Amino acid sequence: MEKIDLNNKTILVTGAAGFIGSNLVKRLLNDLTGATIVGIDNMNAYYDPSLKASRLKELEALVVCPTVRPSGNTWTFVKADIADKSAIDALFAQYHFDVVVNLAAQAGVRYSIENPDAYIQSNMMGFYNILEACRHSYDEVKGQKPKDKGQPQTFDLRPQTYRGVEHLVYASSSSVYGGNKKVPFSTDDRVDNPVSLYAATKKSNELFAHCYSKLYDIPTTGLRFFTVYGPAGRPDMAYFGFTNKLLKGETIKIFNYGNCRRDFTYVDDIVEGIVRVMQGAPERKTGEDGLPIPPYAVYNIGGGQPENLLDFVQILQEELVRAGVLPKDFNFEEHKQLVAMQPGDVPVTYADSTALERDFGFMPKITLREGLRKFAEWYKAYYNPA
């Protein structure tokens, strides 16, 4: 593993206005020194863009805060789509990124049935654009400039200025495991049978990354996230959607008649895992054939403690009452409906994160009750329901 000091680096975070992306940028701004951090997001309306704008506003406040400013970090946000190849190429040409974290993606299993085009554009074409930009970041490495059309090959013998991308970290998903019967899910398991288009696009990201690692010696690490939740999260996630519905007096649907289990992972644990992985790129090596051994890795990031959905709902309702989001006399039984499994869903997700612990000394640790308590308190402060 090649160690990377993130201080004084130039870092790209795609999906920077998203749930995980904004929390990662916040962590980098707080922890690093002399870093140039660039974020990109298309600010689409898959869910309320005002929530994304609120996250960006919080990041801007960090940069102007006097206690942060002496760190010398800079933060730049660019509104653009990673599926726009010209926009990505221009960013890479301007900033010469050292580390890239690709979190931009069209998320959601059920929405992939309704709008598959969005997944092909963002998750496949967008990731391809990122890989191509990383590939061409090496064009000026070793003092050699790319050849201009119609001109003789020229060499720049000045000291090397840019080394190209040192590490590409990208978001995969626990959805790639599909309906695996073996638990816990290990990165050693075969994942060739996705049950949703979303899962298929995430599996394709891993295949693309392996190909580019092999062909162009780009260090890449994929992270399979397991049901990420927390304050200012995605409104399409169950805990957020349930809260919205209960406040409106609507009925919440609990799929598979409550017999689903999910390995919930609090966002701070996800960010901790990402930051540690950013600093440890797969080592570049040459095989016996003289070609690169792909500097490629994939890790799970999950708590390894699947929760039954009925237990999850019970904890959520207790914390919503505690935070004052819902009244103490709220009748939850009248607002629950047990229904059949939805297309694309799976009955269980269960992470084996021992490889992450072995290589990076970290295992997610925040309990579901602790995490849902923080969400409920944030929800009360942000929406201030009566």
Side-chain angles (χ1 to χ4, degrees):
M1 186 179 297
E2 297 180 2
K3 298 294 184 181
I4 299 174
D5 183 352
L6 298 178
N7 293 304
N8 302 304
K9 296 292 187 183
T10 302
I11 302 168
L12 174 64
V13 178
T14 74
F19 177 34
I20 300 174
S22 60
N23 278 280
L24 174 61
V25 172
K26 185 191 307 183
R27 171 70 181 272
L28 297 176
L29 287 172
N30 281 327
D31 287 7
L32 300 185
T33 300
T36 299
I37 303 168
V38 179
I40 181 173
D41 200 294
N42 66 5
M43 302 293 286
N44 68 26
Y46 171 62
Y47 61 82
D48 186 2
S50 67
L51 185 56
K52 301 176 184 180
S54 175
R55 297 175 186 139
L56 290 177
K57 187 176 180 180
E58 187 176 353
L59 296 178
E60 292 293 339
L62 280 178
V63 176
V64 300
C65 175
T67 59
V68 174
R69 200 172 186 81
S71 67
N73 297 323
T74 64
W75 160 243
T76 301
F77 176 73
V78 178
K79 183 179 178 181
D81 197 318
I82 62 169
D84 181 347
K85 184 172 176 58
S86 61
I88 294 300
D89 290 345
L91 269 184
F92 274 73
Q94 179 178 356
Y95 287 100
H96 301 276
F97 297 110
D98 300 300
V99 177
V100 176
V101 184
N102 185 62
L103 301 174
Q106 179 57 60
V109 169
R110 296 183 193 115
Y111 188 62
S112 69
I113 297 173
E114 302 171 24
N115 187 10
D117 288 359
Y119 292 77
I120 301 302
Q121 284 298 311
S122 182
N123 300 9
M124 297 186 71
M125 292 305 300
F127 189 57
Y128 161 76
N129 290 339
I130 294 294
L131 286 167
E132 275 289 286
C134 290
R135 168 194 175 186
H136 290 294
S137 71
Y138 302 119
D139 285 352
E140 293 191 22
V141 169
K142 297 180 181 178
Q144 180 173 330
K145 286 188 173 181
K147 183 177 180 179
D148 294 329
K149 290 184 179 179
Q151 298 295 326
Q153 182 69 61
T154 59
F155 294 90
D156 184 351
L157 300 180
R158 293 172 298 176
Q160 178 179 323
T161 304
Y162 305 113
R163 296 188 297 172
V165 170
E166 299 175 50
H167 195 189
L168 167 61
V169 179
Y170 62 95
S172 185
S173 169
S174 62
S175 295
V176 301
Y177 290 106
N180 273 23
K181 303 296 184 188
K182 171 191 163 292
V183 292
F185 298 157
S186 167
T187 52
D188 293 329
D189 298 341
R190 291 185 65 87
V191 287
D192 297 331
N193 299 290
V195 296
S196 70
L197 180 64
Y198 170 67
T201 63
K202 286 301 184 179
K203 172 61 177 176
S204 79
N205 286 178
E206 296 179 5
L207 295 173
F208 284 10
H210 187 276
C211 176
Y212 273 70
S213 289
K214 174 65 176 176
L215 290 175
Y216 308 113
D217 214 17
I218 304 171
T220 68
T221 302
L223 299 175
R224 294 174 179 172
F225 299 147
F226 282 70
T227 315
V228 188
Y229 74 103
R234 280 174 31 213
D236 64 316
M237 297 294 285
Y239 68 101
F240 207 135
F242 285 176
T243 302
N244 289 338
K245 285 181 177 291
L246 292 172
L247 261 177
K248 295 175 184 177
E250 298 175 0
T251 299
I252 61 174
K253 295 181 179 180
I254 303 175
F255 294 107
N256 201 28
Y257 306 102
N259 295 317
C260 287
R261 292 190 301 153
R262 291 288 179 268
D263 200 340
F264 295 94
T265 316
Y266 189 69
V267 66
D268 287 1
D269 278 336
I270 291 289
V271 168
E272 178 67 29
I274 295 172
V275 172
R276 293 196 184 208
V277 168
M278 289 170 68
Q279 299 173 78
E283 187 177 357
R284 289 181 169 108
K285 297 179 180 178
T286 302
E288 295 179 357
D289 58 1
L291 298 175
I293 297 174
Y296 167 90
V298 175
Y299 294 93
N300 289 332
I301 301 186
Q305 295 182 325
E307 302 279 353
N308 183 279
L309 283 187
L310 289 175
D311 294 335
F312 155 76
V313 171
Q314 178 67 32
I315 295 172
L316 175 63
Q317 69 184 38
E318 290 170 1
E319 294 305 325
L320 290 175
V321 168
R322 180 185 178 278
V325 175
L326 294 173
K328 293 183 179 179
D329 61 351
F330 189 88
N331 190 330
F332 288 93
E333 294 305 317
E334 289 184 356
H335 296 85
K336 294 179 186 175
Q337 181 183 3
L338 302 182
V339 298
M341 182 80 82
Q342 284 280 97
D345 268 353
V346 295
V348 63
T349 63
Y350 184 178
D352 178 350
S353 298
T354 54
L356 183 73
E357 184 176 29
R358 178 196 68 216
D359 293 346
F360 295 97
F362 174 70
M363 182 76 76
K365 58 189 176 183
I366 297 174
T367 66
L368 182 60
R369 182 172 293 279
E370 182 182 356
L372 288 178
R373 178 167 297 181
K374 291 180 179 180
F375 164 73
E377 292 171 349
W378 168 83
Y379 193 99
K380 176 65 176 177
Y382 186 81
Y383 292 106
N384 194 28

